[in-house]
Amino acid sequence: MSQHSNESEIRDPNDVIDEYEQTLDEVLAEVDAPEPDDDGVSLDLPGLSLNRRDFMKAGAAVGAMGAAAGCSGLSNGSGSPGGSQSDGGSAADHLVAPGEHDEYYGFWSGGHSGELRIVGIPSMRELTRIPVFNTDCASGYGYTDRSTEMLEDAGDYTWGDNHHPNLSETDGDYDGEYLFVNDKANGRIARVNLTYFETDAITDVPNMQAIHGCTVLSPDTKYVLGNGEFRAPLPNDGTDAANPDEYTSLLVAVDPESMQAQWQVKVDGNLDINDTGKEGRWVIASCYNSEEATAIQGMTKDDRDNVKAFDVPAIEQAVENGNYEEVNGVPVVDGTQESPLNQGDRPIVKYVPTPKSPHCVEVGPNGDYAFIAGKLSPTVTMLDINKLADSSDPEEVVAGRPRVGLGPLHTTFDGNGHAYTSLFIDSQVAKWDIQQAVEAETGSEDPIIEKQDVHYNPGHIQALEAMTTDPDGEWLVCLNKLSKDRFLPVGPIMPDNDQLIHIGDGESSMELVADHPAYPEPHDCVFAHRDKIDAKKVYDPADYEETYIEEADSGVERTGENSVEVKMTTKRSEFGLPDFTVQQGDEVTLKTTNIESVQDIIHGVAIPEHDINYAVAPQDTQHVTFTADDPGVYWIYCTYFCSALHLEMRSRMIVEPAED
């Protein structure tokens, strides 16, 4: 391990935190924030009192604090103080007995890993992982020809930042057909087939460097809509690289079947998170940096930003009328504030002022309100979607603005008239009454019902089916960015902490019942009742384009002077070919069908020294192409323990030396 040559180069961690705090205070200086009622939160340590915002400074002491950290004083007492789960007598029993199934599927974005993680609710057991923007040797995703080609056609990147999973809808409810998810890093949107729980399409969206917000157009998934967060020149060909005034941010509409971009809209500022109304007309997007600066000081200079309300039918009409510029094959409509398309009686984009740097948008179950959390303001702004069409004054569409706490990021719903907002700085979840917020004065705390401490710095939160028109409302999951003292130490990069909270019928108090470590950094999740997902346990060959291989088809065919095609079946406990011979330098296409028809009997195909490893599920067919570079004997073996004779399940590839 390398050593610092000069110990003075190592900065005091408290100095780093103080520097961050100073920057944050400067940003918040002009933001209306509530005064604390006391000196902070007692941590039950003699002489030590901290505000929850100061937990970052407590890293050295947090191990000694143990489970007591952050669990006293702020909540109404309903949370489980510091415990990892509720006691056995709790009414909020999340345990699922061995052999029993969870009631809900949870679909977690995998963040930097590029994958999706499937988690059962309420047990919080991880069921499987679906590779999306990453490779996966266990399944062969990114190694088989079909999946490799899909990734190459979508930009051929080696990773993706998997962010916001969204389920396809019919009549405002989940239909179990597809899941869509964005790649913030590389401007891609992927589609996952929920019949087989596998990625079947990825599009690298033109003109967009990063897609942050991602949603589907309710009620019937007419489009998948992505927010291009980073402002960049259009086209980004270096011409205006030194002129930020020419940068722009884009909203894209992608067809869910073809997965092709249909149109884009350019706007002022940086687009962030989006959601849609329930009527198929409005896409609501939060937006920051209305200053259109390139550094943090400029991005947070003004005390207001704008939420964007995109009128989808009006945009479609503009495209039909030819009111667009085609850039890299995509119609781009001008939705900036000065655009002629925003000057008439029906602007294609409405700009609604909000406190600076709003972070998210979530539309409530009945479609009446869009909820925009302030991030740098202690408030949530509620937009009356029913007034968007006819109001000429943007301020008139603001239905309410309750004060919920410090650092509000995301809001979810129980379907019983309550909203739940994550508070990043306060490390809490606030539960509040929606109708009371409409009736209360701006900035009132009266709608707040209770607060639940969480650990620590929550980002997204999701209640069961909260994004549909009929949420379940029993459970809520809070995805916390930090875990600190909650788990065994595993080195400097610690897990995130996904916490399960029972919210009952909406009238009950919130109860924190379980901690679950998560590999960094899951970003968001979405839930569907198990009855809405019809996952097949065995492949239907009619569902894919590969040619099914029968046992009698196993064999080797030379397809060119330096190419061969090898067809082979798998079953317990043998390959269709005990051996086959190719020539050094041959391009080998190996096609494999698992002729088993019994669920859960998977066979793997691995070839040492050739970087080949993929799985073949019952009735599935996969193929991979590689070059046999070196002469010799190479044993092919099954990587899935499939039977008592698993170790004896072999084939042999003989590579003969090339002729001189």
Side-chain angles (χ1 to χ4, degrees):
M1 181 179 296
S2 63
Q3 300 291 325
H4 285 273
S5 59
N6 186 346
E7 290 187 4
S8 65
E9 294 178 0
I10 305 176
R11 296 189 64 187
D12 186 322
N14 286 325
D15 290 342
V16 177
I17 295 300
D18 287 340
E19 185 177 297
Y20 162 76
E21 290 283 320
Q22 181 179 351
T23 301
L24 185 58
D25 286 339
E26 290 173 356
V27 170
L28 294 172
E30 299 181 7
V31 175
D32 182 21
E35 295 295 327
D37 295 330
D38 50 38
D39 293 332
V41 182
S42 171
L43 296 181
D44 298 329
L45 293 179
L48 179 61
S49 180
L50 294 179
N51 186 284
R52 291 183 70 81
R53 177 174 158 186
D54 294 328
F55 272 120
M56 290 176 292
K57 296 182 178 180
V62 77
M65 297 175 191
C71 292
S72 60
L74 282 181
S75 74
N76 68 351
S78 63
S80 302
S84 62
Q85 65 183 43
S86 59
D87 59 44
S90 170
D93 188 4
H94 70 290
L95 300 178
V96 177
E100 297 295 323
H101 291 180
D102 283 284
E103 188 174 2
Y104 286 85
Y105 286 91
F107 299 88
W108 258 250
S109 59
H112 320 300
S113 71
E115 68 194 6
L116 287 167
R117 300 164 189 171
I118 313 305
V119 175
I121 301 294
S123 74
M124 297 288 283
R125 299 178 298 196
E126 185 175 294
L127 305 177
T128 192
R129 298 186 176 194
I130 303 174
V132 182
F133 302 117
N134 56 309
T135 59
D136 176 55
C137 59
S139 65
Y141 184 83
Y143 297 94
T144 60
D145 289 359
R146 186 169 42 185
S147 58
T148 299
E149 181 181 0
M150 181 170 60
L151 288 168
E152 288 177 348
D153 290 346
D156 200 22
Y157 307 110
T158 62
W159 72 288
D161 192 0
N162 188 312
H163 256 51
H164 294 112
N166 286 268
L167 294 164
S168 58
E169 299 179 10
T170 299
D171 295 330
D173 200 0
Y174 299 142
D175 56 28
E177 186 174 7
Y178 293 126
L179 180 145
F180 301 93
V181 68
N182 64 302
D183 171 14
K184 173 173 177 175
N186 302 300
R188 295 180 292 180
I189 295 176
R191 184 181 69 196
V192 175
N193 180 332
L194 293 180
T195 299
Y196 295 111
F197 277 56
E198 63 183 17
T199 306
D200 70 0
I202 305 175
T203 182
D204 189 5
V205 179
N207 306 323
M208 299 176 75
Q209 189 173 118
I211 293 178
H212 190 191
C214 180
T215 190
V216 300
L217 183 61
S218 291
D220 297 312
T221 318
K222 182 176 183 179
Y223 297 118
V224 185
L225 299 139
N227 274 359
E229 181 179 359
F230 299 154
R231 298 178 65 249
L234 184 70
N236 192 12
D237 57 7
T239 303
D240 293 312
N243 185 7
D245 290 341
E246 296 299 320
Y247 297 2
T248 191
S249 184
L250 298 170
L251 171 80
V252 65
V254 173
D255 181 271
E257 295 300 329
S258 70
M259 289 297 288
Q260 297 299 307
Q262 302 301 295
W263 43 260
Q264 294 173 326
V265 182
K266 65 179 182 179
V267 296
D268 303 312
N270 289 57
L271 291 169
D272 195 8
I273 309 294
N274 58 8
D275 197 7
T276 74
K278 306 300 184 183
E279 74 302 304
R281 177 173 180 178
W282 296 102
V283 181
I284 318 295
S286 59
C287 189
Y288 65 99
N289 189 26
S290 58
E291 304 88 343
E292 299 191 338
T294 58
I296 187 172
Q297 293 81 4
M299 292 181 183
T300 55
K301 179 177 178 293
D302 297 338
D303 63 356
R304 289 291 181 268
D305 274 300
N306 289 298
V307 168
K308 311 291 193 296
F310 296 85
D311 189 335
V312 172
I315 295 167
E316 292 173 325
Q317 187 63 54
V319 173
E320 184 177 336
N321 293 343
N323 294 325
Y324 63 83
E325 173 189 8
E326 186 170 306
V327 183
N328 292 318
V330 181
V332 179
V333 181
D334 187 356
T336 59
Q337 286 182 287
E338 300 303 318
S339 167
L341 295 174
N342 279 334
Q343 307 310 311
D345 294 334
R346 187 171 179 178
I348 64 169
V349 183
K350 289 201 169 188
Y351 287 66
V352 182
T354 60
K356 73 166 71 177
S357 297
H359 179 60
C360 78
V361 175
E362 285 92 12
V363 173
N366 61 14
D368 288 341
Y369 305 113
F371 298 75
I372 299 96
K375 188 173 75 171
L376 300 183
S377 164
T379 62
V380 173
T381 298
M382 300 170 59
L383 300 188
D384 189 332
I385 296 177
N386 299 312
K387 292 183 178 180
L388 275 175
D390 299 325
S391 175
S392 59
D393 181 359
E395 293 288 353
E396 290 182 355
V397 303
V398 177
R401 190 172 279 148
R403 183 181 304 211
V404 294
L406 292 180
L409 290 187
H410 296 279
T411 301
T412 192
F413 316 98
D414 60 18
N416 297 295
H418 305 120
Y420 301 76
T421 299
S422 59
L423 305 175
F424 181 83
I425 296 176
D426 280 342
S427 288
Q428 292 182 310
V429 172
K431 175 182 178 180
W432 49 283
D433 187 281
I434 294 172
Q435 186 57 38
Q436 191 172 352
V438 174
E439 298 169 356
E441 296 287 335
T442 296
S444 172
E445 296 181 359
D446 291 344
I448 305 302
I449 298 171
E450 62 174 311
K451 294 185 178 181
Q452 169 67 56
D453 296 348
V454 292
H455 309 85
Y456 303 92
N457 298 115
H460 277 276
I461 58 173
Q462 284 285 356
L464 293 179
E465 300 202 335
M467 306 312 290
T468 71
T469 55
D470 186 23
D472 178 287
E474 183 176 4
W475 297 100
L476 177 151
V477 174
C478 185
L479 284 70
N480 305 303
K481 300 303 183 183
L482 304 181
S483 61
K484 290 188 176 291
D485 58 325
R486 305 298 287 181
F487 309 112
L488 286 172
V490 290
I493 298 181
M494 299 179 181
D496 289 12
N497 185 13
D498 295 343
Q499 292 188 301
L500 183 69
I501 297 173
H502 188 254
I503 57 176
D505 58 3
E507 303 305 322
S508 306
S509 294
M510 291 185 284
E511 180 181 2
L512 174 61
V513 299
D515 283 355
H516 284 270
Y519 188 75
E521 175 185 301
H523 195 81
D524 194 6
C525 59
V526 64
F527 308 118
H529 194 276
R530 64 190 183 192
D531 290 345
K532 297 176 183 177
I533 306 295
D534 185 19
K536 288 188 177 180
K537 300 176 181 179
V538 174
Y539 273 86
D540 182 348
D543 288 343
Y544 57 78
E545 297 178 357
E546 299 277 2
T547 300
Y548 187 90
I549 300 170
E550 304 281 359
E551 284 190 274
D553 298 329
S554 294
V556 180
E557 178 185 357
R558 181 157 292 279
T559 56
E561 183 177 351
N562 296 111
S563 61
V564 296
E565 182 178 87
V566 180
K567 295 180 180 179
M568 186 167 64
T569 58
T570 65
K571 66 178 182 181
R572 286 167 290 181
S573 298
E574 61 184 84
F575 292 100
L577 291 174
D579 57 59
F580 59 89
T581 301
V582 299
Q583 301 295 314
Q584 181 184 4
D586 276 345
E587 181 182 78
V588 180
T589 299
L590 176 60
K591 298 184 176 181
T592 314
T593 295
N594 181 347
I595 61 174
E596 305 262 12
S597 57
V598 178
Q599 70 177 73
D600 208 20
I601 302 300
I602 314 299
H603 295 299
V605 180
I607 308 178
E609 301 181 33
H610 286 75
D611 201 29
I612 301 299
N613 181 25
Y614 60 94
V616 192
Q619 296 294 297
D620 191 18
T621 300
Q622 295 286 348
H623 71 276
V624 63
T625 301
F626 61 95
T627 300
D629 287 318
D630 299 313
V633 174
Y634 301 94
W635 289 97
I636 302 173
Y637 71 97
C638 178
T639 55
Y640 279 74
F641 208 105
C642 56
S643 71
L645 294 176
H646 165 73
L647 291 179
E648 288 79 10
M649 184 174 174
R650 306 276 182 82
S651 181
R652 185 171 47 131
M653 181 176 70
I654 300 171
V655 182
E656 294 182 339
E659 297 180 1
D660 294 333

